Amino acid sequence: MVNDKEGQRATALWVRDVVKGYPKMADTDGKIAEFTAKVEKQEAEVAALKNQLAQIRRDQENNAQLEKLYTENAKLKYQANQLKRTLAEEQSRKPAHMLNIQRQLVDIFSLSIHKAFPTLADPPVMVTLSTQEKFGDYQCNSAMSIGQLLKAQGKKAAPREIAQAIVSNLPESGIIEKVEIAGPGFINIHIRKSFVSSILSSVLREGVKPPPVDRKLRVVIDYSSPNIAKEMHVGHLRSTIIGDSFSRLMKFVGHDVLGLNHVGDWGTQFGMLIAHLQDKFPNYVSVSPPIGDLQAFYKESKVRFDNDEEFKKRAYSCVVKLQSREPDIIKAWNLICDVSRNEFQKVYNQLDIQDLLERGESFYQDRMVQVVKELEEKGLLKEEEGRKVLFTDVSSVPLTVVKSDGGYTYDTSDMAAIRQRLEEERGDWLIYVVDSGQGLHFQCIFAAAQAAGWYDVKRKRVDHTPFGVVLGEDKKKFKTRSGETVRLSDLLEEGLRRSLDKLKEKERDKELTPEELDAAQKAVAYGCIKYADLSHSRTNDYVFSFDRMLDDRGNTAAYLLYAYTRIRSIARLANVDESSLKKAAQTSEVSLDHPKEWKLAKCLVRFPEIISKILEDLYMHTLCEFMYELSTTFTEFYDVCYCVEKDRKTGEVIKVNMGRLLLCEVTASILATCFSILGISPVNRM
């Protein structure tokens, strides 16, 4: 069809000429004109329809874009409403958790950034604590990064313009007092005092609560792990203390925790111990042998094993009988294990190590057979020099699963252990608290477990949390003067002696009752040893020094324990008991008017942020640093903000600032919770 004016005119002329060539049709000029008009009209209609079709296509494209924007906007509105409901619920109902302000700010700014820049798929949301008070309480530093993402899309925008867009799209919030744009695009965030006050009042009424976690997990923690027939020494100190603090932390946030003590209770050494027991106490089956010093007993058997070929043969024979589960040999094995367990438990009682289930290498013996069978069926084992080995992408050195003599190894035992913990225990999160020297070994074990299909890194978490060694003051491995490894029981006893000397030096024995003095002695001794370990980054070595531990200046347990005792004494000084404080919390607000009150309050409400961070990286020294910062901030507050005023002549209390006293109580409560997570028992009088 012709669709332009020239084509239409040509058609009309052609029709006219045709008609003129046929005289009989000359009288039909009127009809031809009518026909021509219809043609022109139809051509015009066709052109109009084509224009309409093009417009419809453009409208469809626009509608698709609009639909996408509507969908995105609906999501943002839903998220905003969810956030508002969450904040309202947190402020209105009895809290099960303590609000993590930083995480709430991340959620708020995430909504704003997505609304301001809907074309960015995953824009960065960076909210951090401000480094200086003049920069507000928190900062959002996303503008510069977003500018780079926009530039990659061919769009230009100055960081300050981006920051302004973020601020303009912030949803209403009961958390934020005001925001300010500073420098090239930093957003300074000021928190509402009323919001912070409501959190602190909740702590007073309901106690210290953990931050929320996504879901309750089954957490399996492997720690301590001494060897049967050997005494616990300073090398076991770090695993025991760090592992116990992890266990306490996980329980605090609501996880289901299984603490496992992977003791060395199987192997060749038990053959020589049993053979020696048979010789020294031949009637051990009917009469329990008086093994007083198992360490000496072990050394005696080792000397015989190294120097007496006949004894060595009998020792190997005992190993075979042990593996065959012969009753008399199992009896001897249990006797030796029980002696060790009793000695271990003495140390655990002193350090208040709770809920640690012994599950040694013997537990996995039968399971190793199944593990080897499964690995073979999956084609993961290779023959190499008579051994069955398993290669991983982690190391060129394979795991030895079966030795050339058909025996099993530590690799086999650890493979059986990780399988049992993932499948039988249904562990969601496994944590191995083992020294740094075993790092590559565990990387290989974890890689092999993944290759076997036992766990998916997207669904389960498996961590090796390595730690450094304990050094003496000479910066070498901590040993006795004779060069032997320091026994843990001796170390704890020396701690008790030194802590008592320190308390007497301060003449606390004249102020405290015998019971209070005993409690203070143990709190200082064991608390200082634990805190000295946990206050250092676990991956670093640290110098063990009682003089440093017991110094009540600086970041030590001694300083923190004394600070806690002083805070607790303030209410006693004001003659206000715990029940009175709880009643006051229902009617009185925490005082936040003075700059030092506000600084202390902001430090207190960061507690959930600290806990959340440790759950991510498992570095407990972060909690110790927070405790020290909190204690020094409290000292700043207490030095200038009087909580209790006394008559200078009579010493009688004439005025109590209840708002400040409540602030003291919140500080003491949060410090007490931190001590509990670290496994340290503070006392109210010291």
Side-chain angles (χ1 to χ4, degrees), residues 398-617:
L399 295 169
T400 299
V401 179
V402 183
K403 295 189 294 185
S404 57
D405 63 2
Y408 297 142
T409 67
Y410 288 120
D411 295 344
T412 328
S413 174
D414 283 336
M415 286 297 288
I418 194 171
R419 180 176 179 266
Q420 192 274 338
R421 294 165 187 180
L422 289 166
E423 296 185 354
E424 294 181 44
E425 297 296 346
R426 298 185 180 277
D428 299 302
W429 186 0
L430 309 189
I431 303 173
Y432 289 78
V433 189
V434 187
D435 68 87
S436 300
Q438 299 295 312
L440 182 58
H441 167 73
F442 280 110
Q443 288 180 41
C444 292
I445 292 293
F446 300 163
Q450 290 180 61
W454 296 341
Y455 83 101
D456 180 353
V457 292
K458 294 180 181 179
R459 296 179 56 248
K460 304 213 173 189
R461 179 176 174 181
V462 180
D463 287 314
H464 169 222
T465 53
F467 54 83
V469 300
V470 182
L471 304 176
E473 296 194 59
D474 58 358
K475 305 296 176 65
K476 297 178 181 178
K477 274 195 174 183
F478 194 26
K479 293 184 180 296
T480 64
R481 289 181 180 177
S482 61
E484 294 183 351
T485 303
V486 179
R487 299 195 314 176
L488 203 45
S489 57
D490 292 343
L491 195 71
L492 297 177
E493 287 303 316
E494 185 178 357
L496 285 171
R497 180 180 61 77
R498 289 196 179 221
S499 67
L500 183 59
D501 291 344
K502 190 75 175 180
L503 290 166
K504 286 182 176 179
E505 180 185 311
K506 291 177 168 290
E507 298 187 337
R508 300 311 300 155
D509 55 321
K510 297 177 181 178
E511 300 289 334
L512 304 175
T513 66
E515 292 78 14
E516 289 173 335
L517 182 63
D518 181 67
Q521 177 192 11
K522 290 175 180 176
V524 172
Y526 304 144
C528 286
I529 290 172
K530 288 186 176 185
Y531 192 84
D533 191 309
L534 296 170
S535 61
H536 293 84
S537 173
R538 59 174 165 76
T539 53
N540 295 337
D541 301 339
Y542 83 94
V543 174
F544 191 98
S545 168
F546 273 121
D547 290 337
R548 172 69 183 134
M549 291 177 192
L550 294 168
D551 192 343
D552 55 10
R553 297 163 298 177
N555 187 11
T556 66
Y559 169 77
L560 293 172
L561 287 166
Y562 284 122
Y564 174 81
T565 301
R566 183 175 67 159
I567 297 169
R568 283 296 190 201
S569 71
I570 297 170
R572 291 199 304 271
L573 181 68
N575 297 319
V576 178
D577 58 21
E578 188 176 345
S579 61
S580 299
L581 282 170
K582 288 199 170 183
K583 287 180 182 177
Q586 303 293 332
T587 56
S588 303
E589 286 191 0
V590 175
S591 181
L592 300 179
D593 296 327
H594 193 282
K596 295 300 182 183
E597 294 172 339
W598 179 230
K599 183 179 179 181
L600 177 59
K602 288 190 293 181
C603 186
L604 288 165
V605 296
R606 280 178 40 226
F607 171 71
E609 299 170 21
I610 300 299
I611 297 299
S612 296
K613 184 178 185 303
I614 299 170
L615 289 172
E616 292 174 5
D617 61 24

Side-chain angles (χ1 to χ4, degrees), residues 271 314-326 329:
R314 285 202 297 117
Y316 282 128
S317 174
C318 287
V319 172
V320 174
K321 292 176 181 178
L322 177 63
Q323 292 172 342
S324 301
R325 302 292 202 277
E326 288 194 11
I329 299 299

Side-chain angles (χ1 to χ4, degrees), residues 222-239:
D222 178 327
Y223 65 102
S224 193
S225 307
N227 289 314
I228 294 292
K230 294 182 180 180
E231 289 188 289
M232 292 183 73
H233 54 76
V234 70
H236 298 112
L237 183 67
R238 299 210 73 182
S239 177

Side-chain angles (χ1 to χ4, degrees), residues 72-126:
E72 186 67 27
N73 191 44
K75 288 180 181 178
L76 289 170
K77 285 181 178 179
Y78 174 77
Q79 291 173 337
N81 289 331
Q82 285 289 97
L83 177 61
K84 288 176 183 177
R85 280 197 294 271
T86 300
L87 293 176
E89 288 173 3
E90 288 288 347
Q91 295 179 47
S92 63
R93 65 181 174 82
K94 180 178 178 179
H97 303 100
M98 192 170 172
L99 199 66
N100 184 333
I101 292 179
Q102 184 182 33
R103 185 160 294 176
Q104 292 295 319
L105 290 173
V106 168
D107 290 343
I108 291 169
F109 275 82
S110 178
L111 288 172
S112 173
I113 290 170
H114 278 90
K115 188 176 179 182
F117 306 100
T119 60
L120 298 181
D122 188 23
V125 184
M126 297 179 287

Side-chain angles (χ1 to χ4, degrees), residues 275 301-317:
S301 66
K302 186 70 167 66
V303 170
R304 294 183 68 189
F305 185 83
D306 292 339
N307 298 289
D308 186 339
E309 286 299 320
E310 183 60 33
F311 179 81
K312 183 182 287 189
K313 288 179 182 178
R314 285 202 297 117
Y316 282 128
S317 174

